[in-house]
Amino acid sequence: MNNIKREKLLILSGALGDGHMQAAKAILEASVLYKQGVKVVDFMQWIHPRMHVVERYCFLQWVKHFPSSYGYMYQKTRTDSTLTFFLKHFLTTSLQRLLKLLNEEQPTLIVSTFPLASAAISLLKEKGMTDLPASTVITDHSDHSYWIHPFTDLYLVGSEGVRAALQRKGVADHKIAVTGIPVRPSYSQTDNKDRLREKLALPLDAFVVLVMGGGCGIIDKSFIEQMQSDSFPPNVQFVIVCGRNVKLLNRLHEALGDRDNVMLTGFLEGIHEWMASADVLITKPGGLTTSEALALQLPMLLLEPQMGQEKDNASYLIQAGVAYLCQIDSLQDQLQRLVQQPSLMEEMRENAGLCRQQDSARHAVLQILNMQSDTQEEKWVCSLQQYA
């Protein structure tokens, strides 16, 4: 560790999706362990300082109320060049703002956990406005075209399947590293489950079901209706995390606040301890949350995926044998099956152990730091070829 050259990393993220920023924070924490200088910037906030709040609100409303149209656009642009064409024209007006950021921060390496940031950096390099090594952290098990740009030097991906998919799209193998989707180092350093349950005031002998709707707390109305049933196994204890969605938390208190088997909470900083205490996680199939669960070998029931990247994630997790789709209309029977078949739970935990990437954030940082020397070597080889 002492022999690692000190770099200055600029991590460009975005708050449109909570997972992008969580991946950036995971890389930040791991970078500090290697004594690297790091700055995390919300790309959309920097580029559009007066509009980013409106942009985030509109995006969340679109996803919440019109998920099918989002899914249609996602699939329509998966391989087409239309999106790349649109992004270039959309981002051209923002390049001067981005160049100003690079001049102010003077980074030696650029990391993007947000697709628009990856596109903008690639465009800057294409125009000869910077030659800094640039990496992209793909925060879903996806090969969507909005992640892939010609002047990206390194892609950090979550699985071998994504590596193969990128290769099929023409990305050179030496530009891809399978590190796992970066999660915070704390997910590799959890305490004993019984001690954690005592700390969190959870019953030691209960079957703990952790329910998460992402940082924005998106939990479907039909799921809440199912939670009002009295048909759940008697030893099941629910912990429902509403994130920053205060309206949802208040609505759940009205609907479920009198139930002894339901614990309700808002945003939790130490969510890794709650996940390590649980027996099963019910969640949207977001890339970061499910990667955190994989790191802890926590079996999952996935709420019906609405967005395109969620469908990609769900497909990967189900095929890996670490998750099932959560059947809302038969949730009681599904949980009863898991409670009564500990061998099924153990199989899911073993499968998670086979496909998880331990210390994913640290591995990502090492790949990013090595990118500097790899890029310089590549330029030297290209120069030799040019004059051969």
Side-chain angles (χ1 to χ4, degrees), residues 351-362:
N351 289 336
L354 293 174
C355 65
R356 68 175 175 167
Q357 300 283 344
Q358 272 289 70
D359 292 320
S360 55
R362 295 190 192 190

Side-chain angles (χ1 to χ4, degrees), residues 79-284:
T79 57
D80 291 349
S81 60
T82 307
L83 181 64
T84 304
F85 178 82
F86 167 76
L87 284 176
K88 283 191 176 183
H89 284 74
F90 173 77
L91 291 168
T92 298
T93 58
S94 306
L95 293 186
Q96 289 302 322
R97 285 281 299 168
L98 183 55
L99 196 59
K100 178 184 178 184
L101 176 64
L102 298 184
N103 290 332
E104 287 181 4
E105 296 299 330
Q106 292 292 307
T108 58
L109 298 169
I110 301 174
V111 183
S112 300
T113 66
F114 186 59
L116 285 177
S118 299
I121 291 297
S122 179
L123 189 55
L124 270 185
K125 296 184 72 171
E126 180 181 343
K127 292 179 174 294
M129 301 169 78
T130 183
D131 64 352
L132 289 172
S135 61
T136 288
V137 180
I138 299 181
T139 57
D140 293 290
H141 295 280
S142 174
D143 63 337
H144 194 281
S145 62
Y146 66 16
W147 285 112
I148 304 169
H149 304 285
F151 288 83
T152 298
D153 299 296
L154 177 68
Y155 294 90
L156 306 179
V157 303
S159 64
E160 289 291 342
V162 178
R163 179 209 287 272
L166 292 187
Q167 289 176 323
R168 289 193 294 271
K169 288 182 177 292
V171 179
D173 183 61
H174 72 274
K175 288 188 172 186
I176 310 169
V178 181
T179 61
I181 297 172
V183 300
R184 292 180 170 184
S186 55
Y187 285 86
S188 301
Q189 304 163 357
T190 53
D191 202 347
N192 173 274
K193 178 178 283 191
D194 286 345
R195 283 198 294 267
L196 285 174
R197 287 195 176 186
E198 289 179 356
K199 175 182 176 181
L200 302 173
L202 291 171
L204 296 180
D205 58 348
F207 186 88
V208 177
V209 180
L210 182 64
V211 183
M212 297 175 62
C216 299
I218 302 173
I219 296 176
D220 192 85
K221 181 180 178 181
S222 61
F223 183 84
I224 298 174
E225 292 173 353
Q226 286 295 315
M227 290 295 301
Q228 294 174 312
S229 169
D230 294 320
S231 302
F232 289 105
N235 65 326
V236 169
Q237 173 69 51
F238 291 95
V239 179
I240 304 181
V241 182
C242 299
R244 301 179 183 88
N245 193 330
V246 177
K247 289 184 179 179
L248 173 63
L249 182 60
N250 292 336
R251 190 161 75 247
L252 287 176
H253 271 297
E254 292 178 4
L256 306 170
D258 60 343
R259 293 180 175 267
D260 294 334
N261 67 333
V262 177
M263 181 185 298
L264 303 172
T265 180
F267 181 80
L268 294 171
E269 277 293 344
I271 191 64
H272 64 285
E273 293 186 337
W274 292 88
M275 293 176 77
S277 301
D279 292 292
V280 67
L281 171 67
I282 298 179
T283 183
K284 299 190 307 153

Side-chain angles (χ1 to χ4, degrees), residues 207 280 301 334-342 344-345:
F207 186 88
V280 67
L301 294 177
Q334 205 166 11
L335 288 178
Q336 184 73 54
R337 178 180 175 227
L338 295 179
V339 170
Q340 293 180 344
Q341 297 185 32
L344 180 60
M345 296 289 293

